[in-house]
Coordinates of all heavy atoms in Angstrom, one line a residue:
M1 N 0.8 -1.2 0.0 CA 0.0 0.0 0.0 C 0.9 1.3 0.0 O 0.5 2.2 -0.6 CB -0.9 0.0 1.2 CG -1.9 1.1 1.2 SD -2.9 1.2 -0.3 CE -4.5 1.2 0.4
M2 N 2.0 1.2 0.7 CA 2.9 2.4 0.8 C 3.4 2.7 -0.6 O 3.5 3.9 -0.9 CB 4.0 2.2 1.8 CG 5.0 1.2 1.5 SD 6.2 1.1 2.8 CE 7.1 -0.3 2.3
W3 N 3.8 1.7 -1.4 CA 4.3 2.0 -2.7 C 3.2 2.5 -3.6 O 3.5 3.3 -4.5 CB 4.9 0.7 -3.3 CG 6.2 0.4 -2.6 CD1 6.4 -0.6 -1.7 CD2 7.4 1.0 -2.8 NE1 7.7 -0.6 -1.3 CE2 8.4 0.4 -1.9 CE3 7.9 2.1 -3.6 CZ2 9.7 0.8 -1.8 CZ3 9.2 2.5 -3.5 CH2 10.1 1.9 -2.6
L4 N 2.0 2.1 -3.4 CA 0.8 2.6 -4.2 C 0.6 4.1 -3.9 O 0.4 4.9 -4.8 CB -0.4 1.8 -3.9 CG -1.6 2.2 -4.8 CD1 -1.4 1.9 -6.3 CD2 -2.8 1.3 -4.3
M5 N 0.7 4.5 -2.6 CA 0.5 5.9 -2.2 C 1.7 6.7 -2.7 O 1.5 7.8 -3.2 CB 0.4 6.0 -0.7 CG -1.0 5.8 -0.2 SD -1.2 6.4 1.5 CE -0.3 5.1 2.4
L6 N 2.9 6.2 -2.7 CA 4.1 6.9 -3.2 C 3.9 7.1 -4.7 O 4.2 8.2 -5.2 CB 5.4 6.2 -2.9 CG 6.6 6.9 -3.3 CD1 6.7 8.3 -2.7 CD2 7.8 6.0 -2.9
S7 N 3.4 6.1 -5.4 CA 3.2 6.2 -6.9 C 2.2 7.3 -7.2 O 2.3 8.1 -8.1 CB 2.7 4.9 -7.4 OG 3.7 3.9 -7.3
G8 N 1.1 7.3 -6.4 CA 0.1 8.4 -6.5 C 0.7 9.8 -6.3 O 0.4 10.7 -7.0
A9 N 1.6 9.9 -5.3 CA 2.2 11.1 -5.0 C 3.1 11.6 -6.1 O 3.1 12.8 -6.5 CB 3.1 11.0 -3.7
I10 N 3.8 10.6 -6.7 CA 4.7 10.9 -7.9 C 3.8 11.4 -9.1 O 4.1 12.4 -9.7 CB 5.6 9.7 -8.2 CG1 6.6 9.4 -7.1 CG2 6.2 9.9 -9.6 CD1 7.2 8.1 -7.2
L11 N 2.8 10.6 -9.3 CA 1.9 11.0 -10.5 C 1.3 12.4 -10.3 O 1.3 13.2 -11.2 CB 0.8 10.0 -10.6 CG -0.3 10.3 -11.7 CD1 0.4 10.3 -13.1 CD2 -1.4 9.2 -11.6
A12 N 0.8 12.7 -9.0 CA 0.2 14.0 -8.8 C 1.3 15.1 -8.9 O 1.0 16.2 -9.5 CB -0.4 14.0 -7.4
E13 N 2.5 14.9 -8.5 CA 3.5 15.9 -8.6 C 3.9 16.1 -10.1 O 4.1 17.2 -10.5 CB 4.8 15.4 -7.8 CG 5.9 16.5 -7.7 CD 6.9 16.3 -8.8 OE1 7.1 15.2 -9.3 OE2 7.6 17.3 -9.2
V14 N 4.0 15.0 -10.9 CA 4.3 15.2 -12.3 C 3.2 15.9 -13.0 O 3.4 16.8 -13.8 CB 4.6 13.8 -12.9 CG1 4.6 13.8 -14.4 CG2 5.9 13.2 -12.4
L15 N 1.9 15.6 -12.7 CA 0.8 16.3 -13.3 C 0.8 17.8 -12.9 O 0.5 18.6 -13.7 CB -0.5 15.6 -13.0 CG -0.7 14.2 -13.6 CD1 -2.0 13.6 -13.0 CD2 -0.8 14.3 -15.1
G16 N 1.1 18.0 -11.6 CA 1.1 19.4 -11.2 C 2.2 20.2 -11.8 O 2.0 21.4 -12.2
T17 N 3.4 19.6 -12.0 CA 4.5 20.3 -12.6 C 4.2 20.5 -14.1 O 4.5 21.6 -14.7 CB 5.8 19.5 -12.4 OG1 6.0 19.3 -11.0 CG2 7.0 20.2 -13.1
T18 N 3.6 19.5 -14.8 CA 3.3 19.7 -16.2 C 2.2 20.8 -16.3 O 2.4 21.7 -17.2 CB 2.7 18.4 -16.7 OG1 3.7 17.4 -16.6 CG2 2.4 18.5 -18.2
A19 N 1.3 20.9 -15.4 CA 0.3 21.9 -15.5 C 0.9 23.3 -15.3 O 0.5 24.3 -15.9 CB -0.8 21.7 -14.4
M20 N 2.0 23.3 -14.4 CA 2.7 24.6 -14.2 C 3.3 25.2 -15.4 O 3.3 26.4 -15.6 CB 3.8 24.4 -13.1 CG 4.4 25.7 -12.6 SD 5.7 25.5 -11.5 CE 5.1 24.4 -10.2
K21 N 3.8 24.3 -16.3 CA 4.3 24.7 -17.6 C 3.3 25.5 -18.4 O 3.5 26.5 -19.0 CB 4.8 23.5 -18.4 CG 5.3 23.8 -19.8 CD 6.5 24.6 -19.8 CE 7.0 24.7 -21.3 NZ 8.0 25.7 -21.4
Y22 N 2.0 25.0 -18.3 CA 0.9 25.6 -19.1 C 0.3 26.8 -18.3 O -0.6 27.4 -18.9 CB -0.1 24.6 -19.4 CG 0.4 23.5 -20.4 CD1 0.8 22.3 -20.0 CD2 0.5 23.9 -21.7 CE1 1.3 21.4 -20.9 CE2 1.1 23.0 -22.7 CZ 1.4 21.7 -22.2 OH 1.9 20.8 -23.1
S23 N 0.6 27.0 -17.1 CA 0.0 28.1 -16.3 C 0.5 29.5 -16.7 O -0.1 30.5 -16.3 CB 0.3 27.9 -14.8 OG 1.6 28.3 -14.5
D24 N 1.6 29.5 -17.5 CA 2.2 30.8 -18.0 C 2.5 31.7 -16.8 O 2.0 32.9 -16.8 CB 1.2 31.5 -19.0 CG 1.9 32.5 -19.8 OD1 3.2 32.5 -20.0 OD2 1.2 33.5 -20.3
G25 N 3.3 31.2 -15.9 CA 3.6 32.0 -14.7 C 2.5 32.3 -13.8 O 2.4 33.3 -13.2
F26 N 1.5 31.4 -13.7 CA 0.3 31.4 -12.9 C -0.6 32.6 -13.4 O -1.3 33.2 -12.6 CB 0.6 31.6 -11.4 CG 1.3 30.4 -10.8 CD1 2.6 30.4 -10.3 CD2 0.7 29.1 -10.8 CE1 3.2 29.3 -9.8 CE2 1.3 28.0 -10.3 CZ 2.6 28.1 -9.8
T27 N -0.6 32.9 -14.6 CA -1.5 33.9 -15.2 C -2.7 33.2 -15.9 O -3.7 33.9 -16.2 CB -0.8 34.8 -16.2 OG1 -0.3 33.9 -17.3 CG2 0.4 35.5 -15.6
R28 N -2.7 31.9 -16.0 CA -3.9 31.2 -16.6 C -4.5 30.4 -15.4 O -3.9 29.6 -14.8 CB -3.4 30.3 -17.7 CG -2.8 31.1 -18.9 CD -2.4 30.3 -20.1 NE -3.5 29.6 -20.6 CZ -3.4 28.4 -21.1 NH1 -2.2 27.7 -21.1 NH2 -4.5 27.7 -21.6
L29 N -5.8 30.6 -15.3 CA -6.5 30.1 -14.1 C -6.5 28.5 -14.0 O -6.1 28.0 -13.0 CB -8.0 30.5 -14.1 CG -8.9 30.0 -13.0 CD1 -8.3 30.5 -11.6 CD2 -10.3 30.4 -13.2
W30 N -7.0 27.8 -15.0 CA -7.2 26.4 -14.9 C -5.8 25.6 -14.7 O -5.7 24.8 -13.8 CB -8.0 25.8 -16.0 CG -9.4 26.4 -15.9 CD1 -10.0 27.2 -16.8 CD2 -10.3 26.1 -14.9 NE1 -11.3 27.5 -16.3 CE2 -11.5 26.9 -15.1 CE3 -10.3 25.4 -13.7 CZ2 -12.6 26.9 -14.3 CZ3 -11.4 25.4 -12.9 CH2 -12.6 26.1 -13.2
P31 N -4.8 25.9 -15.5 CA -3.5 25.3 -15.3 C -3.0 25.6 -13.9 O -2.3 24.8 -13.2 CB -2.6 25.8 -16.4 CG -3.6 26.2 -17.5 CD -4.8 26.7 -16.8
S32 N -3.2 26.9 -13.4 CA -2.7 27.3 -12.1 C -3.4 26.5 -11.0 O -2.8 26.0 -10.0 CB -2.9 28.7 -11.9 OG -2.2 29.5 -12.8
L33 N -4.7 26.3 -11.1 CA -5.5 25.5 -10.2 C -5.1 24.0 -10.2 O -5.0 23.3 -9.2 CB -7.0 25.6 -10.4 CG -7.6 27.0 -10.1 CD1 -9.1 27.0 -10.5 CD2 -7.4 27.4 -8.6
A34 N -4.8 23.5 -11.4 CA -4.3 22.1 -11.6 C -3.0 21.9 -10.9 O -2.7 20.9 -10.3 CB -4.3 21.7 -13.0
T35 N -2.1 22.9 -11.0 CA -0.8 22.9 -10.4 C -1.0 22.8 -8.8 O -0.4 22.0 -8.2 CB 0.0 24.1 -10.7 OG1 0.2 24.2 -12.1 CG2 1.4 24.2 -10.0
A36 N -1.8 23.7 -8.3 CA -2.0 23.7 -6.8 C -2.6 22.4 -6.4 O -2.2 21.8 -5.4 CB -2.9 24.9 -6.5
A37 N -3.6 21.9 -7.1 CA -4.2 20.6 -6.7 C -3.2 19.5 -6.8 O -3.2 18.6 -5.9 CB -5.4 20.3 -7.6
G38 N -2.4 19.4 -7.9 CA -1.4 18.4 -8.0 C -0.5 18.3 -6.9 O -0.2 17.3 -6.3
Y39 N 0.0 19.5 -6.5 CA 1.0 19.6 -5.4 C 0.4 19.3 -4.0 O 1.0 18.6 -3.2 CB 1.8 20.9 -5.4 CG 2.9 20.9 -6.3 CD1 2.8 21.3 -7.6 CD2 4.1 20.3 -5.9 CE1 3.9 21.3 -8.5 CE2 5.2 20.3 -6.8 CZ 5.1 20.7 -8.1 OH 6.1 20.7 -8.9
L40 N -0.9 19.7 -3.8 CA -1.6 19.4 -2.6 C -1.8 17.9 -2.4 O -1.5 17.3 -1.4 CB -2.9 20.1 -2.6 CG -3.8 19.9 -1.3 CD1 -3.1 20.5 -0.1 CD2 -5.1 20.5 -1.5
I41 N -2.2 17.3 -3.5 CA -2.4 15.8 -3.5 C -1.1 15.1 -3.3 O -0.9 14.1 -2.5 CB -3.1 15.3 -4.8 CG1 -4.6 15.9 -4.8 CG2 -3.1 13.8 -4.9 CD1 -5.3 15.8 -6.1
A42 N 0.0 15.6 -4.0 CA 1.3 15.0 -3.9 C 1.8 15.0 -2.5 O 2.3 13.9 -2.0 CB 2.3 15.6 -4.9
F43 N 1.8 16.1 -1.9 CA 2.3 16.2 -0.5 C 1.4 15.5 0.5 O 2.0 14.9 1.4 CB 2.5 17.7 -0.1 CG 3.7 18.3 -0.7 CD1 3.7 19.2 -1.7 CD2 5.0 17.9 -0.2 CE1 4.8 19.8 -2.2 CE2 6.1 18.5 -0.7 CZ 6.1 19.4 -1.7
A44 N 0.1 15.4 0.3 CA -0.7 14.7 1.2 C -0.4 13.2 1.1 O -0.3 12.5 2.1 CB -2.2 14.9 0.8
L45 N -0.2 12.7 -0.1 CA 0.1 11.3 -0.3 C 1.5 10.9 0.2 O 1.7 9.9 0.8 CB -0.1 10.8 -1.8 CG -1.5 10.8 -2.3 CD1 -1.6 10.5 -3.8 CD2 -2.3 9.7 -1.5
L46 N 2.4 11.9 -0.1 CA 3.8 11.7 0.4 C 3.8 11.6 2.0 O 4.5 10.8 2.6 CB 4.7 12.7 -0.1 CG 6.2 12.6 0.3 CD1 6.8 11.3 -0.2 CD2 7.0 13.8 -0.2
A47 N 3.0 12.5 2.6 CA 3.0 12.5 4.0 C 2.4 11.2 4.6 O 2.9 10.6 5.6 CB 2.1 13.7 4.5
Q48 N 1.4 10.6 3.9 CA 0.9 9.3 4.3 C 1.9 8.2 4.1 O 2.0 7.3 4.9 CB -0.4 9.0 3.5 CG -1.6 10.0 3.9 CD -1.9 10.0 5.4 OE1 -2.1 9.0 6.0 NE2 -1.9 11.2 5.9
T49 N 2.6 8.3 3.0 CA 3.7 7.3 2.7 C 4.7 7.3 3.9 O 5.2 6.2 4.3 CB 4.3 7.6 1.4 OG1 3.3 7.6 0.4 CG2 5.4 6.6 1.1
L50 N 5.0 8.5 4.4 CA 6.1 8.6 5.4 C 5.7 7.9 6.7 O 6.5 7.7 7.6 CB 6.5 10.0 5.6 CG 7.2 10.7 4.4 CD1 7.5 12.1 4.7 CD2 8.5 9.9 4.0
K51 N 4.4 7.6 6.9 CA 4.0 6.9 8.1 C 4.6 5.5 8.2 O 4.8 5.0 9.2 CB 2.5 6.8 8.2 CG 1.8 8.1 8.5 CD 0.3 7.9 8.5 CE -0.4 9.2 8.9 NZ -1.9 8.9 8.9
T52 N 4.8 4.9 7.0 CA 5.3 3.5 6.9 C 6.6 3.3 6.2 O 7.1 2.2 6.1 CB 4.2 2.6 6.3 OG1 3.9 3.1 5.0 CG2 3.0 2.6 7.2
M53 N 7.1 4.3 5.6 CA 8.4 4.2 4.8 C 9.4 5.2 5.3 O 9.0 6.3 5.7 CB 8.1 4.5 3.3 CG 9.3 4.3 2.4 SD 8.9 4.7 0.7 CE 7.8 3.3 0.2
S54 N 10.7 4.9 5.3 CA 11.7 5.8 5.7 C 11.7 7.0 4.8 O 11.4 7.0 3.6 CB 13.1 5.1 5.8 OG 13.5 5.0 4.4
V55 N 12.0 8.2 5.4 CA 12.0 9.4 4.7 C 13.0 9.4 3.6 O 12.8 10.0 2.5 CB 12.1 10.7 5.6 CG1 13.5 10.7 6.3 CG2 11.8 11.9 4.9
G56 N 14.2 8.8 3.8 CA 15.2 8.8 2.8 C 14.8 8.1 1.6 O 15.0 8.5 0.5
T57 N 14.2 6.9 1.8 CA 13.8 6.1 0.7 C 12.6 6.8 -0.1 O 12.6 6.9 -1.3 CB 13.3 4.7 1.2 OG1 14.4 4.0 1.8 CG2 12.7 3.8 0.0
A58 N 11.6 7.2 0.7 CA 10.4 7.8 0.1 C 10.8 9.1 -0.7 O 10.4 9.2 -1.9 CB 9.4 8.2 1.1
Y59 N 11.7 9.9 -0.2 CA 12.0 11.2 -0.9 C 12.9 10.9 -2.0 O 12.8 11.5 -3.1 CB 12.6 12.2 0.1 CG 12.7 13.5 -0.5 CD1 11.5 14.3 -0.6 CD2 13.9 14.1 -1.0 CE1 11.5 15.5 -1.2 CE2 13.9 15.3 -1.6 CZ 12.7 16.1 -1.7 OH 12.7 17.3 -2.3
A60 N 13.8 9.9 -1.9 CA 14.7 9.6 -3.0 C 13.9 9.1 -4.2 O 14.1 9.5 -5.4 CB 15.7 8.6 -2.6
V61 N 12.9 8.2 -4.0 CA 12.1 7.7 -5.0 C 11.2 8.8 -5.6 O 11.1 9.0 -6.8 CB 11.3 6.5 -4.5 CG1 10.3 6.0 -5.6 CG2 12.2 5.3 -4.2
W62 N 10.5 9.5 -4.7 CA 9.6 10.6 -5.1 C 10.3 11.6 -6.0 O 9.8 12.0 -7.1 CB 9.0 11.3 -3.9 CG 8.0 12.3 -4.2 CD1 6.7 12.1 -4.7 CD2 8.1 13.7 -3.9 NE1 6.0 13.3 -4.8 CE2 6.9 14.3 -4.3 CE3 9.1 14.5 -3.4 CZ2 6.6 15.7 -4.2 CZ3 8.9 15.9 -3.3 CH2 7.6 16.4 -3.7
S63 N 11.4 12.2 -5.5 CA 12.1 13.2 -6.3 C 12.8 12.7 -7.5 O 12.8 13.3 -8.6 CB 13.1 14.0 -5.4 OG 14.1 13.1 -4.9
G64 N 13.4 11.5 -7.4 CA 14.1 10.9 -8.5 C 13.2 10.5 -9.7 O 13.5 10.9 -10.8
V65 N 12.2 9.8 -9.4 CA 11.3 9.4 -10.4 C 10.5 10.6 -11.0 O 10.3 10.7 -12.2 CB 10.3 8.3 -9.9 CG1 9.2 8.0 -10.9 CG2 11.0 7.0 -9.5
G66 N 10.1 11.5 -10.1 CA 9.5 12.7 -10.6 C 10.4 13.5 -11.5 O 9.9 14.0 -12.6
T67 N 11.6 13.7 -11.1 CA 12.6 14.5 -12.0 C 12.8 13.8 -13.3 O 12.7 14.4 -14.4 CB 13.9 14.6 -11.2 OG1 13.7 15.3 -10.0 CG2 15.0 15.3 -12.1
A68 N 13.0 12.5 -13.3 CA 13.2 11.7 -14.6 C 11.9 11.8 -15.4 O 12.0 12.0 -16.7 CB 13.5 10.3 -14.3
A69 N 10.8 11.7 -14.8 CA 9.5 11.7 -15.6 C 9.3 13.1 -16.2 O 8.9 13.2 -17.4 CB 8.3 11.4 -14.7
I70 N 9.5 14.2 -15.4 CA 9.3 15.5 -16.0 C 10.3 15.8 -17.1 O 10.0 16.4 -18.1 CB 9.5 16.6 -14.8 CG1 8.2 16.5 -14.0 CG2 9.7 18.0 -15.4 CD1 6.9 16.9 -14.7
A71 N 11.6 15.4 -16.9 CA 12.6 15.6 -18.0 C 12.1 14.8 -19.3 O 12.2 15.4 -20.4 CB 13.9 15.1 -17.5
A72 N 11.6 13.6 -19.1 CA 11.2 12.8 -20.3 C 9.9 13.5 -20.9 O 9.9 13.6 -22.2 CB 10.8 11.4 -19.9
I73 N 9.0 14.0 -20.1 CA 7.8 14.7 -20.6 C 8.2 15.9 -21.4 O 7.7 16.2 -22.5 CB 6.8 15.0 -19.5 CG1 6.2 13.7 -19.0 CG2 5.8 16.0 -20.0 CD1 5.4 13.9 -17.7
G74 N 9.2 16.6 -20.9 CA 9.7 17.8 -21.6 C 10.3 17.5 -22.9 O 10.0 18.2 -23.9
M75 N 11.0 16.5 -23.0 CA 11.7 16.1 -24.3 C 10.7 15.5 -25.2 O 10.7 15.8 -26.4 CB 12.8 15.1 -24.0 CG 14.0 15.8 -23.3 SD 15.4 14.7 -23.1 CE 14.9 13.7 -21.7
I76 N 9.8 14.6 -24.7 CA 8.9 13.9 -25.6 C 7.7 14.8 -26.1 O 7.3 14.8 -27.3 CB 8.4 12.6 -25.0 CG1 9.6 11.7 -24.8 CG2 7.3 11.9 -25.8 CD1 9.3 10.5 -23.9
F77 N 7.1 15.5 -25.1 CA 5.8 16.2 -25.4 C 5.9 17.7 -25.5 O 5.1 18.4 -26.1 CB 4.8 15.9 -24.4 CG 4.4 14.4 -24.3 CD1 4.8 13.6 -23.3 CD2 3.7 13.8 -25.3 CE1 4.5 12.3 -23.2 CE2 3.4 12.5 -25.3 CZ 3.8 11.7 -24.2
L78 N 7.0 18.3 -24.9 CA 7.0 19.8 -24.9 C 8.1 20.4 -25.8 O 8.4 21.6 -25.7 CB 7.2 20.2 -23.4 CG 6.1 19.8 -22.5 CD1 6.4 20.2 -21.0 CD2 4.8 20.3 -22.9
G79 N 8.7 19.5 -26.6 CA 9.7 20.0 -27.6 C 11.0 20.4 -27.0 O 11.8 21.2 -27.6
E80 N 11.4 20.0 -25.8 CA 12.7 20.3 -25.2 C 13.7 19.4 -25.9 O 13.5 18.3 -26.2 CB 12.7 20.1 -23.7 CG 11.7 21.1 -23.0 CD 11.6 20.9 -21.5 OE1 12.4 20.1 -21.0 OE2 10.8 21.6 -20.9
A81 N 14.9 20.0 -26.0 CA 16.0 19.2 -26.6 C 16.4 18.0 -25.8 O 16.4 18.0 -24.6 CB 17.2 20.1 -26.8
A82 N 16.6 16.9 -26.6 CA 17.0 15.6 -26.0 C 18.5 15.4 -26.3 O 18.9 14.8 -27.3 CB 16.2 14.5 -26.5
S83 N 19.4 15.9 -25.4 CA 20.8 15.8 -25.6 C 21.4 14.6 -24.9 O 20.7 14.0 -24.0 CB 21.5 17.1 -25.1 OG 21.4 17.2 -23.7
A84 N 22.6 14.2 -25.3 CA 23.2 13.1 -24.6 C 23.4 13.4 -23.1 O 23.2 12.6 -22.3 CB 24.6 12.8 -25.3
A85 N 23.7 14.7 -22.8 CA 23.9 15.1 -21.4 C 22.7 14.9 -20.6 O 22.7 14.4 -19.5 CB 24.4 16.5 -21.4
K86 N 21.5 15.3 -21.2 CA 20.2 15.1 -20.5 C 19.9 13.7 -20.2 O 19.5 13.3 -19.2 CB 19.1 15.8 -21.3 CG 18.9 17.2 -21.0 CD 17.5 17.6 -21.6 CE 17.3 19.1 -21.3 NZ 16.1 19.6 -21.9
L87 N 20.1 12.9 -21.3 CA 19.8 11.4 -21.1 C 20.8 10.8 -20.1 O 20.3 9.9 -19.3 CB 19.9 10.7 -22.5 CG 18.9 11.2 -23.5 CD1 19.2 10.6 -24.9 CD2 17.5 11.0 -23.1
I88 N 22.0 11.2 -20.1 CA 22.9 10.6 -19.1 C 22.5 11.1 -17.7 O 22.6 10.3 -16.7 CB 24.4 11.1 -19.4 CG1 24.9 10.3 -20.7 CG2 25.3 10.8 -18.2 CD1 26.2 10.8 -21.2
G89 N 22.1 12.4 -17.6 CA 21.6 12.9 -16.3 C 20.4 12.1 -15.8 O 20.4 11.8 -14.6
I90 N 19.5 11.8 -16.6 CA 18.3 11.1 -16.2 C 18.7 9.7 -15.8 O 18.3 9.2 -14.7 CB 17.3 11.0 -17.4 CG1 16.7 12.3 -17.6 CG2 16.2 10.0 -17.1 CD1 15.8 12.4 -18.9
A91 N 19.6 9.1 -16.5 CA 20.1 7.7 -16.1 C 20.8 7.8 -14.7 O 20.6 6.9 -13.9 CB 21.1 7.2 -17.2
L92 N 21.6 8.9 -14.5 CA 22.3 9.0 -13.2 C 21.3 9.2 -12.1 O 21.5 8.7 -11.0 CB 23.3 10.1 -13.3 CG 24.6 9.9 -14.1 CD1 25.4 11.1 -14.3 CD2 25.4 8.7 -13.5
V93 N 20.3 9.9 -12.3 CA 19.2 10.1 -11.3 C 18.6 8.8 -10.9 O 18.5 8.4 -9.7 CB 18.1 11.1 -11.7 CG1 16.9 11.1 -10.8 CG2 18.7 12.5 -11.8
I94 N 18.3 8.0 -11.9 CA 17.7 6.7 -11.7 C 18.6 5.8 -11.0 O 18.3 5.1 -10.0 CB 17.2 6.1 -13.0 CG1 16.0 6.9 -13.6 CG2 16.8 4.6 -12.8 CD1 15.6 6.6 -15.0
V95 N 19.9 5.8 -11.4 CA 20.9 5.0 -10.7 C 21.1 5.4 -9.3 O 21.2 4.6 -8.3 CB 22.3 5.0 -11.5 CG1 23.4 4.4 -10.6 CG2 22.1 4.2 -12.8
G96 N 21.1 6.7 -9.0 CA 21.2 7.2 -7.7 C 20.1 6.8 -6.8 O 20.3 6.4 -5.6
V97 N 18.9 6.8 -7.3 CA 17.7 6.3 -6.5 C 17.9 4.8 -6.2 O 17.6 4.4 -5.1 CB 16.4 6.6 -7.3 CG1 15.2 5.9 -6.6 CG2 16.1 8.1 -7.3
L98 N 18.3 4.1 -7.2 CA 18.5 2.6 -6.9 C 19.6 2.4 -5.9 O 19.4 1.6 -5.0 CB 18.9 1.9 -8.2 CG 17.8 1.8 -9.3 CD1 18.3 1.3 -10.6 CD2 16.7 0.9 -8.8
V99 N 20.7 3.1 -6.0 CA 21.8 2.9 -5.0 C 21.3 3.3 -3.6 O 21.6 2.6 -2.6 CB 23.0 3.8 -5.4 CG1 24.0 3.8 -4.3 CG2 23.6 3.2 -6.7
L100 N 20.6 4.4 -3.5 CA 20.0 4.8 -2.1 C 19.1 3.7 -1.6 O 19.2 3.4 -0.4 CB 19.3 6.1 -2.2 CG 20.2 7.4 -2.3 CD1 19.4 8.6 -2.7 CD2 21.0 7.6 -1.0
N101 N 18.3 3.2 -2.4 CA 17.4 2.1 -2.0 C 18.1 0.8 -1.6 O 17.7 0.2 -0.6 CB 16.3 1.9 -3.0 CG 15.2 3.0 -2.9 OD1 14.8 3.3 -1.9 ND2 14.9 3.5 -4.1
L102 N 19.1 0.5 -2.4 CA 19.8 -0.8 -2.1 C 20.6 -0.6 -0.8 O 20.7 -1.5 0.0 CB 20.7 -1.1 -3.3 CG 20.0 -1.6 -4.5 CD1 21.0 -1.8 -5.7 CD2 19.2 -2.9 -4.3
G103 N 21.2 0.6 -0.6 CA 21.9 0.9 0.6 C 21.0 0.8 1.8 O 21.4 0.4 2.9
G104 N 19.8 1.3 1.7 CA 18.8 1.3 2.8 C 18.3 -0.1 3.1 O 18.0 -0.4 4.2
A105 N 18.2 -0.9 2.1 CA 17.7 -2.3 2.3 C 18.7 -3.1 3.1 O 18.3 -4.1 3.7 CB 17.4 -2.9 0.9
A106 N 20.0 -2.8 3.1 CA 20.9 -3.6 3.8 C 20.9 -3.3 5.3 O 21.4 -4.1 6.1 CB 22.3 -3.3 3.2
H107 N 20.3 -2.3 5.7 CA 20.3 -2.0 7.2 C 19.0 -2.4 7.8 O 18.0 -2.3 7.6 CB 20.5 -0.5 7.4 CG 21.9 -0.1 7.0 ND1 22.2 0.4 5.7 CD2 23.0 -0.1 7.7 CE1 23.5 0.7 5.6 NE2 24.0 0.4 6.8

């Protein structure tokens, strides 16, 4: 259940961040409201996740997966450049999350 809540938190954060791109600096109402709702849901679900998961693991997964997802969305759907450096950076974020989780599993 904790992984399902964390997944929901990640999805809400990614949707909120994507909506922020369309809010035009919070000058457009509906994308601005979607941003606020996305982040409210994301933090509420993350807070619930932290009841049963260590903060290091939860935050590493939440921020790492969210960062990689937003970078991919930017490149695939929003016309952002897909350079080798960006792709390597995304891979390093994912590897970093895995290393943090494997290190935490040993204790």
Side-chain angles (χ1 to χ4, degrees):
M1 186 57 128
M2 67 182 172
W3 289 103
L4 185 61
M5 276 195 285
L6 184 57
S7 297
I10 293 166
L11 177 62
E13 187 265 335
V14 167
L15 292 173
T17 302
T18 303
M20 190 185 305
K21 172 69 174 168
Y22 292 103
S23 75
D24 197 26
F26 296 117
T27 61
R28 298 181 59 217
L29 178 63
W30 294 113
S32 298
L33 292 175
T35 299
Y39 276 94
L40 180 67
I41 293 166
F43 280 106
L45 289 172
L46 182 60
Q48 293 304 307
T49 301
L50 293 177
K51 288 181 177 180
T52 56
M53 184 182 286
S54 72
V55 69
T57 299
Y59 194 75
V61 173
W62 183 69
S63 61
V65 172
T67 298
I70 287 298
I73 287 169
M75 290 183 283
I76 295 167
F77 298 108
L78 301 176
E80 296 178 6
S83 67
K86 271 191 183 179
L87 296 174
I88 291 168
I90 292 170
L92 288 172
V93 166
I94 293 168
V95 168
V97 169
L98 290 172
V99 169
L100 284 170
N101 282 312
L102 292 174
H107 290 95

